[in-house]
Amino acid sequence: MKQFRPFMISLFFLLTVQFGYSQATEVAEEIIRQRIEELSAKTETEYDFSELYEHFMNLYEHPININSANAEDLRRLLFLNDNLIAILIDHRRKKGDFQSIYGLKDLDGFYIEMIKAIEPFITFEVVSKPQKVDFGNMLKYGKNQVMIRWGTVIEPQKGYTPISDSALAESPNSRYLGDKNKVYLRYKYTYRDQISFGFLGDKDAGEEFFTGSNPYGFDFYSAHFFIKNQGKLKALAVGDYHVEFGQGLTMWSGMAFGKSVTSINVQRQARGLRANTSANEVLFFRGAAATYSLLSNLDLTAFYSNKGMDAGLSIRDTADFEDLVFSGIQESGLHRTPSEVAKKQAVNEQVFGANINYNNNGFRVGMTSYKTIYDRELFKDIAPYQFYDFQGTENFNIGIDASYANRYLSVFGEMATSANKGKALLVGSIFNLHPRLTFSVLYRNYQKDYQNFYAVPISEGGKAQNEEGIYFGAQFQIGAYSNVMFYYDVFQFPWMRYRINSPTGGNEFSAQFERNPNRNLQYYFRYQFEDKMLNLTDADVAILEVTNRQRHNFRINLKYKVNSKWRLQSRLSFSRYQQKPLEISEGYLLFQDVQYSLEKIPLKLSFRYAVFNTDDYDSRIYAYESDVLYKFSVPAYYYKGQRYYLLANYDLSESLSFWVRYSQTVYNNRSIIGSGLEEIDGNTKSEITVQLRWKF
């Protein structure tokens, strides 16, 4: 590999990450790619974005007829807000059907990149209406898919190194119970876009496999059965599923994107009831749910979930008795050591409720209510910033959401309350001020005592609590090939937060200029600024001072399609971080990637070489990396070094596909990588992933 590295370094390439099923999806994927990068930069949580991929794969295989789709159908595209949907429907009503994709460019707000983004997922031909399920056709025309993935870190890590029996007995959590292999297995059946069922199993590195705590194989299993559009039964889910309503202020069980310079659309497009097909071990419901059409414009959804949640139990000793309580839900999904295994599904959670939704001529209104019950009491040894957090065994949430849209504007909002009478409010609007100018505004006020475990609205603090703010966004279309997008968000936190010992405020600004002078070239410039507050870490001070923390990021990104075989991209990113009055830390990232598609054989090769240099972790820079199908990677680049990966995708036949990915990071100023049981004694970390997919 050392002999191969100089050859890699000499390349000046970039991978244009693709969905893999159509060149036309590049624009759509680029938008999603940037949203994923931004989300990853704001949280340490690792999300599974495979459901997003599947959503668009399903749309690609079953495109929406742009001439007959109603507003609910068009919301499934996710790229269109209610204002654009109203413009499209109004134009169709007045001037008749669209004959081709070129007709959309005459619509206000439908700039060229937006049209390219939705093009793979729409059609102008008649689409057959959903029919009742015919089991004979299910056997004949249904599609099956089996996928297996294996991966590992090549270098020895502390958690897997040998240790004596006596030392392990004395410190049982000093080593992982399982081996370092990651294993993922998945099966899914689909019939049209009406029925799907399947299961998956996932084993993380360090977890046991067919032994010890996992005698039945994988550490995590998930299964689902989902059917939709069967007469008045609009959807039925059994097993693992998601529910999404309103703007995510009352109920939103899955992942959701937040603020983004790539989109002024701060209005959530809730998909109601849908199957869970990701390996995330926390963000889903397990049980049954159904959506039924009571009237032509009135739907009722009822849901019930009963599942185990990871939590650390402790004994609370009162004057009368001792009982087991927990202080919070563990969201990592990792069960590698005895202490982590002891937390596995230690608490039972039940969630049951309903949503009723009315939708007619651009107006929607809905109400959601549900109850959450734990079989043990959530009891915290409260730190000051946790004073208003939920404690107890039961919570009740109820909320009302509404929206209205026409060709000129879209207004939306939601208000909600929890059992303790804590309240939350969100209202926003998107204005089509000019065919080339769109403006959005969003106000949010989440009281410090609002308590909800399944709320994922637009926010700066990461949850629907202790935040008030107002957001402004705009998009200008300059000519036919250029766009300017920006947003400004100002916010305050009325109560203390983690590592912030006083009420604080802040602001955030982001701007991007992008240009597509021709079909082969695309580039953009982006600047982002954030000013927030944080405790000043100083061991000599008894009461920590809260000071400003400022972060600047600048990016230049260039994509170029050389020909049908070669696609290039280059990026240069700078970061600057300071918590006053401490010193400034800075950094940069430069990478070059390529994708090469062979014509005579079904082989795609993708390569990246990156050089990075940051003063510390605070000045880190995130960058999306291509990976095997259904797997996503957005690592943080920090300290000084280089990183590269090589990804090969070979279609062995029409039904059998193979992926292999090798990545390596070499640090120039580190002799130890990682910490704890993940520690590597050396300056190099290498990973390999192999995946096989069989479709039949």
Side-chain angles (χ1 to χ4, degrees):
M1 183 55 65
K2 291 182 178 180
Q3 295 176 348
F4 188 50
R5 192 176 303 156
F7 168 72
M8 289 182 167
I9 296 174
S10 67
L11 294 177
F12 184 77
F13 294 141
L14 167 78
L15 164 68
T16 300
V17 183
Q18 300 195 26
F19 277 49
Y21 46 87
S22 172
Q23 294 181 1
T25 61
E26 292 176 15
V27 176
E29 207 291 326
E30 178 62 24
I31 295 173
I32 296 169
R33 167 183 178 165
Q34 294 186 42
R35 302 292 295 277
I36 290 174
E37 280 183 329
E38 293 173 350
L39 178 63
S40 300
K42 288 180 173 293
T43 178
E44 298 297 323
T45 303
E46 292 187 7
Y47 289 103
D48 182 352
F49 297 98
S50 59
E51 288 184 328
L52 187 64
Y53 176 94
E54 281 205 297
H55 175 78
F56 284 102
M57 173 66 83
N58 184 62
L59 284 177
Y60 178 77
E61 295 178 346
H62 307 282
I64 294 172
N65 187 329
I66 205 73
N67 290 319
S68 61
N70 58 27
E72 184 177 357
D73 294 328
L74 293 170
R75 290 188 190 100
R76 294 168 54 208
L77 293 169
L78 300 187
F79 295 110
L80 303 181
N81 57 50
D82 282 3
N83 177 230
L84 295 177
I85 292 172
I87 290 172
L88 189 152
I89 294 176
D90 183 65
H91 184 279
R92 191 178 66 193
R93 184 178 63 251
K94 292 179 178 179
K95 298 186 177 182
D97 291 350
F98 297 94
Q99 301 304 313
S100 70
I101 193 70
Y102 301 104
L104 296 179
K105 65 183 178 63
D106 297 326
L107 303 183
D108 295 348
F110 280 74
Y111 60 97
I112 189 67
E113 291 304 296
M114 176 65 72
I115 295 172
K116 288 182 180 179
I118 66 174
E119 181 180 4
F121 315 114
I122 62 175
T123 183
F124 302 89
E125 300 175 356
V126 176
V127 177
S128 60
K129 295 182 179 180
Q131 300 175 353
K132 291 186 177 181
V133 175
D134 184 299
F135 290 98
N137 287 336
M138 284 182 60
L139 295 174
K140 185 176 181 180
Y141 299 111
K143 297 180 180 180
N144 298 271
Q145 178 176 269
V146 176
M147 188 167 63
I148 186 167
R149 179 194 306 150
W150 168 86
T152 190
V153 174
I154 295 176
E155 287 79 12
Q157 295 172 282
K158 185 177 179 180
Y160 307 101
T161 56
I163 185 174
S164 66
D165 293 341
S166 58
L168 185 61
E170 184 176 344
S171 181
N173 293 300
S174 62
R175 291 296 184 273
Y176 292 139
L177 296 170
D179 59 44
K180 63 193 304 183
N181 298 310
K182 305 175 190 176
V183 184
Y184 175 90
L185 173 66
R186 166 182 164 139
Y187 165 77
K188 186 178 181 182
Y189 168 89
T190 56
Y191 174 66
R192 297 179 177 174
D193 63 342
Q194 296 178 262
I195 295 179
S196 74
F197 59 81
F199 70 90
L200 64 84
D202 185 57
K203 170 202 176 299
D204 294 306
E207 295 176 339
E208 294 177 291
F209 193 47
F210 283 106
T211 187
S213 60
N214 293 314
Y216 302 108
F218 292 96
D219 176 75
F220 174 72
Y221 284 99
S222 177
H224 78 276
F225 173 83
F226 187 76
I227 186 171
K228 68 176 185 177
N229 296 329
Q230 297 300 301
K232 287 186 172 293
L233 181 64
K234 300 188 70 172
L236 171 67
V238 178
D240 295 348
Y241 64 92
H242 291 289
V243 285
E244 301 172 352
F245 301 122
Q247 298 302 307
L249 195 55
T250 308
M251 166 54 71
W252 197 287
S253 68
M255 179 272 297
F257 292 116
K259 297 174 292 182
S260 171
V261 70
T262 60
S263 175
I264 62 165
N265 185 14
V266 290
Q267 181 181 8
R268 290 276 165 79
Q269 298 293 2
R271 288 176 281 174
L273 177 60
R274 60 186 178 88
N276 172 60
T277 58
S278 81
N280 187 290
E281 300 187 26
V282 179
L283 298 176
F284 68 93
F285 285 150
R286 176 166 289 174
T291 299
Y292 188 79
S293 180
L294 299 175
L295 300 171
S296 60
N297 299 311
L298 186 65
D299 296 336
L300 174 66
T301 300
F303 54 93
Y304 173 76
S305 172
N306 188 326
K307 67 174 183 176
M309 305 286 283
D310 290 1
L313 301 181
S314 59
I315 298 176
R316 180 177 60 175
D317 190 1
T318 66
D320 300 322
F321 60 90
E322 292 182 351
D323 63 339
L324 290 174
V325 297
F326 70 105
S327 60
I329 300 298
Q330 303 291 317
E331 298 186 1
S332 70
L334 299 173
H335 309 110
R336 305 162 299 179
T337 64
S339 63
E340 289 179 349
V341 171
K343 298 175 183 178
K344 184 176 180 179
Q345 299 185 6
V347 173
N348 178 264
E349 176 197 69
Q350 293 187 73
V351 180
F352 54 91
N355 166 270
I356 190 166
N357 182 74
Y358 176 78
N359 185 357
N360 188 31
N361 293 328
F363 174 72
R364 289 188 297 165
V365 61
M367 184 176 69
T368 306
S369 64
Y370 65 97
K371 190 168 188 176
T372 307
I373 302 175
Y374 297 106
D375 67 339
R376 301 188 187 279
E377 183 178 356
L378 196 161
F379 176 81
K380 296 181 178 180
D381 186 9
I382 294 178
Y385 76 92
Q386 298 174 311
F387 184 79
Y388 293 98
D389 285 4
F390 171 81
Q391 296 198 81
T393 59
E394 297 184 6
N395 193 22
F396 178 78
N397 296 93
I398 186 170
I400 298 175
D401 66 274
S403 67
Y404 172 76
N406 59 35
R407 62 179 296 109
Y408 302 107
L409 64 86
S410 169
V411 292
F412 56 92
E414 185 170 1
M415 55 184 179
T417 185
S418 49
N420 64 334
K421 302 187 185 306
K423 296 177 176 59
L425 171 70
L426 179 153
V427 291
S429 185
I430 301 174
F431 303 89
N432 185 28
L433 300 178
H434 183 272
R436 296 182 180 273
L437 172 61
T438 305
F439 179 78
S440 63
V441 60
L442 175 77
Y443 171 75
R444 59 197 186 273
N445 188 339
Y446 314 143
Q447 293 183 356
K448 56 182 177 291
D449 58 345
Y450 180 61
Q451 299 169 350
N452 190 328
F453 291 109
Y454 290 101
V456 194
I458 296 289
S459 71
E460 175 61 31
K463 58 182 181 179
Q465 184 183 28
N466 186 35
E467 179 176 329
E468 183 178 11
I470 186 166
Y471 164 102
F472 303 94
Q475 177 172 295
F476 305 88
Q477 183 180 355
I478 305 172
Y481 305 106
S482 301
N483 291 290
V484 175
M485 297 170 284
F486 75 86
Y487 74 78
Y488 176 70
D489 189 39
V490 58
F491 43 83
Q492 63 179 1
F493 307 109
W495 186 247
M496 293 176 280
R497 302 172 64 225
Y498 176 64
R499 297 180 64 195
I500 306 175
N501 290 347
S502 69
T504 59
N507 63 89
E508 186 177 60
F509 173 79
S510 185
Q512 177 168 306
F513 170 79
E514 63 181 27
R515 181 168 174 78
N516 301 267
N518 57 62
R519 61 187 305 171
N520 296 324
L521 177 63
Q522 186 263 345
Y523 58 87
Y524 68 83
F525 305 90
R526 178 188 298 179
Y527 170 71
Q528 292 179 297
F529 169 76
E530 181 185 78
D531 185 359
K532 298 171 72 173
M533 308 288 282
L534 189 68
N535 290 344
L536 182 63
T537 303
D538 191 334
D540 297 327
V541 177
I543 300 177
L544 297 179
E545 180 184 0
V546 180
T547 65
N548 285 78
R549 180 195 67 181
Q550 295 183 342
R551 190 188 305 274
H552 302 259
N553 287 279
F554 179 74
R555 175 191 299 178
I556 305 172
N557 197 88
L558 172 69
K559 296 173 62 178
Y560 182 64
K561 178 182 176 182
V562 179
N563 52 43
S564 61
K565 294 188 293 184
W566 294 92
R567 298 170 186 271
L568 312 175
Q569 179 171 312
S570 309
R571 178 180 297 180
L572 177 61
S573 296
F574 295 96
S575 67
R576 186 176 187 268
Y577 176 92
Q578 182 185 25
Q579 184 178 3
K580 298 179 179 181
L582 304 179
E583 293 184 358
I584 295 172
S585 65
E586 297 178 320
Y588 70 84
L589 165 67
L590 172 66
F591 69 69
Q592 311 292 339
D593 296 4
V594 69
Q595 177 175 316
Y596 178 66
S597 300
L598 282 73
E599 292 182 343
K600 295 184 178 181
I601 58 175
L603 174 65
K604 292 181 180 179
L605 298 174
S606 306
F607 172 77
R608 167 176 293 178
Y609 178 74
V611 178
F612 57 93
N613 188 348
T614 73
D615 293 331
D616 51 30
Y617 181 73
D618 289 329
S619 52
R620 65 194 180 275
I621 301 172
Y622 288 86
Y624 185 108
E625 293 183 351
S626 118
D627 213 316
V628 302
L629 185 65
Y630 294 123
K631 190 172 183 292
F632 296 84
S633 176
V634 191
Y637 292 77
Y638 55 95
Y639 299 137
K640 183 178 182 180
Q642 53 245 307
R643 175 175 170 83
Y644 63 85
Y645 67 79
L646 180 65
L647 173 66
N649 172 212
Y650 183 70
D651 293 330
L652 302 170
S653 67
E654 291 185 359
S655 60
L656 200 60
S657 299
F658 174 79
W659 289 261
V660 59
R661 184 182 194 264
Y662 179 83
S663 64
Q664 185 177 78
T665 306
V666 181
Y667 293 91
N668 299 339
N669 59 348
R670 302 282 115 181
S671 58
I672 294 177
I673 302 174
S675 60
L677 300 185
E678 296 290 294
E679 182 181 288
I680 295 174
D681 186 9
N683 70 331
T684 302
K685 183 176 181 179
S686 309
E687 296 182 78
I688 186 169
T689 304
V690 178
Q691 181 167 287
L692 186 67
R693 182 184 64 173
W694 178 34
K695 297 190 298 182
F696 59 98

